[in-house]
């Protein structure tokens, strides 16, 4: 009997220990999947395909919405609870818009007016570095050793300064520096063959001492406001060489962009490295934007644009920056894939051209990795 009782207690102990070990193993299993657990997005990314029905509604009603005082554009996105929505970009609260259009909710985004972003007389744009709280020298506003990195001060000698977005190449292997029309082509005023310098004039650059290439091509900007105008890109390329322009940012930046691009999607996390605000991160807040953008020459209408928040994502002088995906964990293979070319902004949002439209126009690809 004593032997039977000992066997029974031994079996009970084994069962209890086994259950405890199993529970511990389950806990460790949960903790041992960082890519699946810790890096899971809190807000899901919404693709353009998923927003196709609301895009049709937005485009159908854009003309009438732009007639409302204070409205500077329209776009599509999602509500806080994830429903596809028409977004109205406005300088102030507007009351003369419907709560919904063809069954989709309508939300007003107070963006302020949008302007192209050449460098201004802004304290953030001054060539300072090495001071307390700032990145060490060199910084992107300085004249940098050749080949110069991407994401640094550049421009046509007649403009203040913008940003060198990327090095691109054509099928024959010819290399070009990519930026905006208003950075390299002076809002349609420049001629092919004109010098492109680094740094830009605002930062002390001069031609020919600081030449890094010559203007090769640009897409003219039609300075006609919405809803009549229909620009899709503000872009230009300058012929250059590998000895003059590199394909990676300064060491504090994200490095070398990937050659493979991605299409922007709502809630996508992105980053850029630019002449003024250096590396910043943001989120795609809306896509397919039709928006009026102010230039020194006039107001131009752009369609099919990407909208990025927050307002601190860019500032004057960041025009031309390449915007890339900011991805980690299970999505890390998408990290640094280009999605847009920054060209305009307001106090709350940044506007970018879809990068594929830019590359298609010049028949080039990103010279990355």
């Amino acid at each position: 009997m004593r032997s039977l009782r000992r066997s029974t207690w031994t079996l009970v102990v084994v069962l209890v220990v086994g259950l405890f070990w199993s529970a511990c193993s389950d806990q460790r299993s949960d903790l041992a999947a960082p890519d699946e657990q810790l890096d899971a997005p809190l807000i899901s990314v919404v693709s353009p395909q998923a927003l196709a029905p609301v895009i049709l509604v937005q485009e159908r009603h854009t003309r009438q919405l732009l007639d409302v005082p204070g409205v500077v554009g329209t776009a599509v996105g999602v509500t806080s609870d994830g429903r596809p929505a028409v977004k109205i970009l406005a300088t102030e609260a507007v009351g003369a818009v419907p709560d919904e259009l063809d069954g989709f909710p309508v939300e007003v985004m107070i963006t302020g007016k949008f302007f192209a972003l050449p460098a201004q007389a802004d304290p953030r744009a001054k060539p300072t570095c090495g001071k307390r709280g700032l990145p060490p020298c060199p910084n992107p506003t300085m004249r940098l050793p050749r080949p110069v990195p991407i994401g640094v001060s550049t421009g046509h000698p007649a403009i203040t300064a913008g940003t060198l977005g990327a090095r691109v190449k054509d099928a024959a292997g010819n290399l070009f520096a990519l930026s905006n029309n208003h950075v390299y082509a002076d809002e349609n005023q420049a001629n092919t063959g004109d010098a492109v310098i680094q740094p830009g004039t605002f930062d002390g650059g001069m031609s020919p001492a600081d030449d890094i290439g010559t203007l090769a091509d640009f897409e003219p900007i039609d300075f006609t406001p919405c809803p009549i105008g229909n620009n899709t890109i503000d872009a230009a390329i300058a012929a250059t060489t590998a000895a003059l322009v590199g394909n990676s940012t300064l060491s504090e930046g994200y490095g070398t962009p990937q050659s493979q691009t991605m299409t922007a999607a709502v809630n996508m996390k992105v980053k850029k490295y630019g002449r003024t605000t250096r590396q910043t991160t943001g989120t795609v807040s809306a896509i397919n934007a039709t928006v009026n953008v102010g230039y020194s020459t006039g107001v131009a209408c752009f369609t099919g644009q990407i909208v990025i928040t927050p307002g601190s994502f860019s500032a004057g002088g960041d025009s031309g920056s390449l915007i890339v995906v900011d991805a980690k964990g299970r999505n890390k293979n998408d990290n640094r894939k280009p999605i847009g070319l920054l060209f305009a902004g307001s106090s709350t949002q940044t506007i970018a051209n879809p990068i594929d439209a830019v590359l298609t126009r010049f028949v080039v690809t990103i010279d990355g990795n």
Side-chain angles (χ1 to χ4, degrees):
M1 289 295 291
R2 228 176 296 157
S3 174
L4 179 60
R5 280 198 296 269
R6 276 200 302 270
S7 299
T8 302
W9 278 109
T10 301
L11 179 60
V12 169
V13 170
V14 169
L15 287 172
V16 169
V17 171
L19 288 170
F20 177 78
W21 182 259
S22 177
C24 291
S25 297
D26 288 343
Q27 282 186 319
R28 283 197 307 275
S29 177
D30 288 343
L31 294 174
D35 283 352
E36 296 299 322
Q37 306 252 345
L38 301 180
D39 293 318
L42 297 176
I43 300 175
S44 60
V45 172
V46 185
S47 70
Q49 291 79 8
L51 295 173
V54 72
I55 288 174
L56 291 175
V57 172
Q58 172 224 0
E59 293 178 344
R60 187 181 305 138
H61 293 279
T62 287
R63 181 179 288 267
Q64 70 186 65
L65 292 172
L66 287 168
D67 287 336
V68 178
V71 173
V72 294
T74 69
V76 298
V78 295
T79 61
S80 58
D81 58 358
R83 292 178 296 156
V86 176
K87 301 283 187 172
I88 295 177
L89 315 180
T91 59
E92 57 192 2
V94 290
V97 296
D99 293 330
E100 67 173 42
L101 287 169
D102 300 346
F104 289 100
V106 175
E107 289 191 342
V108 176
M109 298 170 63
I110 307 301
T111 61
K113 292 184 177 180
F114 291 97
F115 296 95
L117 293 175
Q120 305 294 330
D122 185 309
R124 291 173 298 178
K126 291 180 179 178
T128 59
C129 65
K131 295 182 179 180
R132 187 173 182 178
L134 291 177
C137 295
N139 80 31
T141 64
M142 288 183 160
R143 187 189 195 280
L144 294 160
R146 276 53 176 159
V148 300
I150 62 173
V152 300
S153 174
T154 190
H156 186 282
I159 70 119
T160 53
T163 295
L164 197 171
R167 193 173 76 187
V168 297
K169 60 183 179 181
D170 64 15
N174 298 306
L175 298 178
F176 305 88
L178 173 66
S179 192
N180 297 138
N181 171 318
H182 73 270
V183 174
Y184 280 171
D186 190 20
E187 299 182 16
N188 303 342
Q189 301 304 306
N191 298 305
T192 55
D194 282 2
V196 165
I197 58 177
Q198 194 291 316
T201 301
F202 188 84
D203 299 318
M206 294 185 295
S207 182
D210 298 313
D211 289 3
I212 58 166
T214 56
L215 181 62
D217 196 6
F218 63 92
E219 176 65 13
I221 299 172
D222 173 16
F223 292 101
T224 306
C226 299
I228 306 303
N230 187 28
N231 298 286
T232 55
I233 63 171
D234 175 347
I237 56 173
T240 189
T241 66
L244 292 172
V245 173
N247 67 346
S248 186
T249 66
L250 285 168
S251 59
E252 65 179 6
Y254 62 80
T256 306
Q258 293 201 47
S259 298
Q260 184 180 355
T261 63
M262 282 190 75
T263 301
V266 173
N267 291 333
M268 177 182 279
K269 300 298 183 183
V270 296
K271 56 191 171 186
K272 73 95 184 68
Y273 191 87
R275 172 242 179 233
T276 305
T277 57
R278 296 182 168 88
Q279 182 144 312
T280 56
T281 59
T283 303
V284 175
S285 56
I287 60 172
N288 200 54
T290 294
V291 61
N292 278 315
V293 176
Y295 290 79
S296 59
T297 302
V299 175
C301 180
F302 284 81
T303 60
Q305 303 301 294
I306 305 164
V307 185
I308 296 166
T309 192
S312 57
F313 186 73
S314 67
D318 287 329
S319 279
S321 301
L322 186 69
I323 300 172
V324 300
V325 176
D326 184 18
K328 302 177 181 68
R330 59 186 172 185
N331 298 318
K332 64 183 179 182
N333 289 340
D334 292 334
N335 192 43
R336 296 177 289 102
K337 285 184 179 178
I339 65 112
L341 186 69
L342 192 157
F343 81 104
S346 71
S347 60
T348 65
Q349 309 283 334
T350 293
I351 306 292
N353 308 147
I355 192 62
D356 286 336
V358 173
L359 300 178
T360 298
R361 163 62 179 81
F362 299 115
V363 197
V364 294
T365 58
I366 299 291
D367 189 15
N369 57 25

